[in-house]
Amino acid sequence: MPNALSARNVAVVGAGIAGLTAAIALARRGARVTVLERADALREVGAGIQVSPNAVRALRALDLLPGFQARAALSEQVILRDLSGAQVARLDFARHRPNDSFYFIHRARLQDLLAGAAQAAGADIRLNREIAAPPEGFDLVVAADGLKSALRPVLNGTEVPFFTGQTAWRAVIADTGDAAPQAEVFMGPGRHLVSYPLGPDRLGRNQRNIVAVIERPDWHEEGWSHAGDPADLRAAFARFAPRVGDWLARVDQAGIWGLFRHPVATHWQDGRLVLIGDAAHPTLPFMAQGAVMAIEDAWVLAACLDADHDQAAALARFQSLRQPRCTRIVEAANKNARNYHLRGPARAVAHAGLRGLNRFAPASLIERFGWLYDYDPTQV
Ligand SMILES: Cc1cc2nc3c(=O)[nH]c(=O)nc-3n(C[C@H](O)[C@H](O)[C@H](O)COP(=O)(O)OP(=O)(O)OC[C@H]3O[C@@H](n4cnc5c(N)ncnc54)[C@H](O)[C@@H]3O)c2cc1C
């Protein structure tokens, strides 16, 4: 019997992280893949993303690891700090998960790697194609059109997201080549700031990523391309450690976006159309799993389709495997949003608890996320 996917005619809508990874996985398994992307070029936009071992397993299985590692920076630990810079706790991945690797990478560099690999696998990437309805003439349509998916409403109707009361800035600054391989989270009442080194840009220059979140009642639009004012960002974090001030002094462009909670989609597929990545389950950034879930989805979708000639059954299986996991991750990110911003006595108690765990049971700080990082999409 021929391979289940051979000569299947597949449209992938969106050349983001989910769409391009799916294009690679599907084309490698024999599908004829056309990627339809709205943008007129795959540009150097966006900022840093974190990639944990659960997604690294899929990248390895797709033979992308060497190219990925050449563009990424290693992440050995996360340090939680008070706004003064004093350490509250440390998640030491290098010590407690020695067999796994965590990385930081600029989204544009990951997209670039994936686009090259998709084309090498035979996928046809067409730019300037804004899709408003499932395109005709394909056996399967994979909707990987992101946060504001045009195809999600085809299966789920119109949904109204909920503003969390939080606004985020993101910025990339030049960095020294000797930055420690770690993320630092500075936690203040009603606000926090995360920073980590990124791998080198295309010209080999080192970069550092900054994401800063504050609670405020007025809101900004959701989206990746709204410009914020660096002076507002500096003012909002003026009371933070001097190191934070040094970083923020170097910001000359900052993106700003309102953080909205979205439900995980109820209906992911109808036998011909299937949602993956942010189109199915946009998440708040507080577990750093947006791109990671997109990569997991892409692998599992291709594996389900490859294992079953019955496309409708394969898509139903894909949803049943992925929906519970993505729901759990999205809920964990919702919960984390509150933890970083505590005020007054609740803050003192939480920080004392973290300091205690850090001292007496440091591994437990990471073990509570075992369910997240132990997942192997190539084995489900
Ligand atoms: C420009 C940009 C910058 C980002 N920057 C960051 C960042 O700094 N940090 C971070 O954590 N996450 C960022 N993200 C989001 C992150 O990439 C995703 O949360 C995650 O990788 C899930 O990927 P996805 O492929 O589902 O969605 P995305 O990566 O958002 O990709 C969706 C793709 O679909 C395309 N598209 C959308 N609508 C249509 C349509 N109607 N027809 C055709 N194509 C369409 C988009 O142009 C995009 O290329 C960014 C996303 C974008 C688009």
Side-chain angles (χ1 to χ4, degrees), residues 81-82 85 184-188 192-193 240-241 243-244 247:
R81 300 188 185 281
D82 205 341
E184 291 170 89
V185 183
F186 295 80
M187 304 177 290
H192 80 278
L193 182 143
F240 276 53
R243 205 141 53 92
V244 170
W247 290 331

Side-chain angles (χ1 to χ4, degrees), residues 17 50 277-278 281 283-285 287-295 329:
I17 307 306
Q50 301 187 44
D278 280 2
H281 44 71
T283 179
L284 293 175
M287 292 292 290
Q289 291 288 307
V292 168
M293 283 191 281
I295 294 168
I329 294 173

Side-chain angles (χ1 to χ4, degrees), residues 61-78:
L62 290 168
D63 297 324
L64 296 173
L65 207 49
F68 175 79
Q69 285 167 328
R71 291 163 170 84
L74 257 184
S75 161
E76 290 181 1
Q77 60 179 357
V78 177

Side-chain angles (χ1 to χ4, degrees), residues 143-165:
D145 53 348
L147 183 64
K148 294 187 176 170
S149 170
L151 297 184
R152 173 170 167 153
V154 173
L155 298 176
N156 293 278
T158 308
E159 296 151 302
V160 182
F162 154 85
F163 180 55
T164 60

